[in-house]
Amino acid sequence: MGYVGTYDRTIFYNPSNKYCIISVKTSDQSVPQQARSAYHHRDNMIRFIAVGYELPQTDKVSMILDGEWENGKHGVQLQVDKCEEIVPQTKEGVYGYLSSRLIKGVGEKTAALIVNRFGADALRVLENEPERLLEIRGITPDKLEDIKASYAESRCVRDLMILLTPFNVTPVTAMKIYEHFGSRSVDILQKNPYELCQVSGFGFKRVDAIVRKGDLPLNSPMRIHGAVFAALDTGRNEKGHLFLEEDALAKTGVKLLNENITDGQVKVTPEEVDAVVQDMILKGEIVSSNGNIYQSNVFVQEDETARKIAEMLAVPPVTLDISESLEYVRKNLGLALSQRQSEAVYMAFRSNLSIITGSPGTGKTTVLRAIIEVFQMLYPKGKILLAAPTGRASRRMAESTGRNDAKTLHSLLGLLGDSGPIQKDKQKEPLDADLIIVDESSMIDMWLARQFFSRVRMGTRVILVGDVDQLQSVGAGDVFRELIDSGLIPVTVLNEIFRQKKGSLIAYNAKRINEANIDLQYGEDFQFVKCQTQEEAADLICRIFCEQVALHGIEKVQILSPFRSEGPASVEQLNAAIRELVNPARDEFADLKVGSHYFRVGDKVMQTKNNAKASNGDIGYIRKMGRNAKNEMDVTIEFSGDRIAEYGMEEMSHMELAYATTVHKAMGSEFDIVIMPILRSHYIMLNRNIVYTAITRAKEQVIPVGQKKTLIMAILKKATGKRNTQLGERIGKYLKAFTRQNELKKVS
């Protein structure tokens, strides 16, 4: 049922996504007793809390709120699914609405002018004939655009919630849809609801189950179109593929379309799928390249990156003799470079693009220091940029090279988020650098590679550094491996172990794992703890964690698990269990509920999305929680390097507990001690690369916990599957073309 009420006050409001918590006053006696404010007011009205998106924050209008009562940490609140404004159809009522500043660009003076001109009909004019507002003195075409956009946004969010009611979506998911499609949201969903498959949380099966309640034919081109996009999305998001072969796409599409179809219904045929695929190719919605089908934006990412890399390789670098400079650097910095390390330094000055790869402890940092020092001797005014995909990796890079200007790639490129647009003022601006070094390059996916290489100025030297044997990038593509395997880019492989102390087994076992050598060695710094079940493993991990924390401190110990949520030894369940041991609830501090997460003062937490305060993967500790002067919740988090940041409720939605984390999330990080479950129940997620990546995060000690050492040996025979990508092949094609062009220019 709906509750009629009026705005009372704002408790919380996030202008970026319109999420708000407001107090509503009403005379409706059906409001549950437990939801009513305990305070008495002179107007004798009932107060309750409403939570939702784009709720009116003005008492100039009444509203009908529909939703579900939910009992949470802060009491019973109405989670609003639908909000309808009630504007009195009088001049006074319309003026009250327009002057409430709900619409950007309309204040009290402008509202008065509009009502004087159009009277009670003003809202109809705003809805259907907004250009007539130009008749009002002071409303310019630019101001009209602001008014139209603000009004459309407000109406769109509410109309969207009404339209999505059959989909049983939450307001949070509705905002995801709005953020994805913008003002086109309602129009798109009315014409083709399968477009929802582009939004996280809306798989093809979920949308299809609802649309099929209508009379849409099973072989409708719209339905097949949605299945084709869903198949490509699944291949990209779950397998890391940039494309699917045409036969594989048709097979996956047919399977999606015919799943849960009863025997009495005519099933969709491969020929019908192929017909839609060919039509989508003709319309440019997808791209066919040698029988491989890409989403058009993904094809552009790969093709433009390949072209730029080929251009860089086709330009002959300036020939330099660095022997004298390198010798000087060796002596003055005391760098004892091996022959292979010296070759890496020379190579960096022989090509505009080169690669250095090797496992931890093989001296990559030493090589980088030598390259930087030699470059500064040869080019005293030359500009150097250092970057890495994550904040932790960039800070480690800064510490190891002695340069404090290392940045994340997102920061270097002016990116606004994990996959957001580039800032407009930097969209075509080349990076101002003569030398760019990118560490942890195995983490770079195709999307980020395109953003980076598109900004590299011709003539700039680029050095990519990383460990090709680590896990592939979380995002689609396999850029670092493809560049190495192409054979077109100079590569130095560092394979001699230097860094870890004599007798350390971590680096040597990592090398054996890489080679699928089952003869692992065990000792003080590489211990295997035996268990029988996953439940026993979880108990042992909790005990070992507490013991190691007592000895070394919580910041030096990290649990890495292959699974996020399945089983007692998964990340989420280990986090919950360990938090109760190392940071139990205290009466003086209440837990803070954010979405499905609960946080406490003292918790170890991890940032899960890039923002201005921290990078995706940064680990910190909650030092304080409380309400500020505006009665809004503030959380104080301390990150490494004594960085202190204040977080609001919305920002805390991108935080999670970090006593345990996934191996993928740990890429680019180092910890003194790593504890890792290696269990039969995790076998589907385990392979040589994930075990290698996990143990190479440790500097001092690795503690695998599992049923048998032989399980590790079986895992070493499983390598990460190859991803569908043609980056290396495309680079070769473009390089031949550019080389031929250069030869023709010389002849002419």
Side-chain angles (χ1 to χ4, degrees), residues 424-629:
K424 290 183 179 179
D425 62 335
K426 293 187 175 182
Q427 195 160 12
K428 296 181 180 179
E429 179 186 322
L431 294 169
D432 182 18
D434 302 291
L435 172 66
I436 303 175
I437 302 175
V438 181
D439 201 3
E440 297 290 351
S441 296
S442 62
M443 299 175 68
I444 299 174
D445 61 17
M446 195 68 254
W447 178 84
L448 188 55
R450 190 255 185 128
Q451 304 298 336
F452 172 66
F453 281 106
S454 69
R455 301 280 301 285
V456 174
R457 185 177 63 197
M458 294 305 293
T460 297
R461 294 181 192 272
V462 175
I463 303 170
L464 302 179
V465 185
D467 185 350
V468 72
D469 296 306
Q470 281 193 120
L471 283 171
Q472 296 154 313
S473 58
V474 176
D478 199 359
V479 176
F480 195 56
R481 195 184 311 270
E482 276 280 291
L483 296 180
I484 291 172
D485 291 347
S486 71
L488 301 169
I489 299 161
V491 178
T492 300
V493 179
L494 302 177
N495 52 15
E496 185 179 352
I497 297 169
F498 298 100
R499 188 181 72 200
Q500 286 172 307
K501 62 187 180 183
K502 189 174 181 181
S504 170
L505 297 175
I506 298 173
Y508 293 102
N509 277 341
K511 189 172 186 295
R512 290 184 177 97
I513 287 170
N514 241 349
E515 298 165 350
N517 183 344
I518 62 175
D519 186 24
L520 301 184
Q521 300 298 307
Y522 297 90
E524 265 189 39
D525 57 347
F526 201 96
Q527 300 179 28
F528 187 89
V529 178
K530 193 174 180 181
C531 64
Q532 296 300 321
T533 65
Q534 187 174 172
E535 289 75 13
E536 185 184 350
D539 290 340
L540 282 168
I541 288 169
C542 291
R543 178 174 62 79
I544 294 167
F545 183 89
C546 292
E547 289 172 354
Q548 295 298 326
V549 166
L551 290 170
H552 305 286
I554 196 167
E555 70 282 352
K556 293 187 176 182
V557 187
Q558 187 63 47
I559 299 167
L560 302 181
S561 177
F563 269 106
R564 172 165 291 279
S565 57
E566 295 180 30
S570 65
V571 167
E572 291 180 359
Q573 295 198 40
L574 284 171
N575 270 326
I578 287 172
R579 197 253 296 271
E580 296 308 316
L581 296 172
V582 300
N583 190 31
R586 289 166 285 176
D587 292 338
E588 64 269 31
F589 296 115
D591 287 1
L592 174 66
K593 184 177 186 295
V594 183
S596 60
H597 297 290
Y598 287 88
F599 297 103
R600 294 174 186 163
V601 172
D603 272 340
K604 183 179 183 180
V605 292
M606 177 183 283
Q607 180 81 23
T608 61
K609 188 175 182 179
N610 291 325
N611 66 20
K613 298 174 181 178
S615 298
N616 185 359
D618 276 357
I619 290 177
Y621 299 86
I622 296 177
R623 298 306 185 201
K624 189 168 58 174
M625 295 192 305
R627 295 196 175 275
N628 58 24

Side-chain angles (χ1 to χ4, degrees), residues 36-49:
R36 301 182 186 187
S37 168
Y39 295 99
H40 177 75
H41 297 269
R42 291 183 179 180
D43 59 11
N44 293 318
M45 300 281 277
I46 297 166
R47 262 75 170 176
F48 66 87
I49 303 300

Side-chain angles (χ1 to χ4, degrees), residues 247-274:
D247 289 345
L249 175 60
K251 185 177 179 181
T252 306
V254 167
K255 184 178 179 181
L256 268 176
L257 291 161
N258 290 331
E259 201 166 5
N260 300 322
I261 301 300
T262 59
D263 292 336
Q265 295 175 298
V266 179
K267 295 188 176 182
V268 181
T269 67
E271 291 75 21
E272 289 172 320
V273 173
D274 185 62

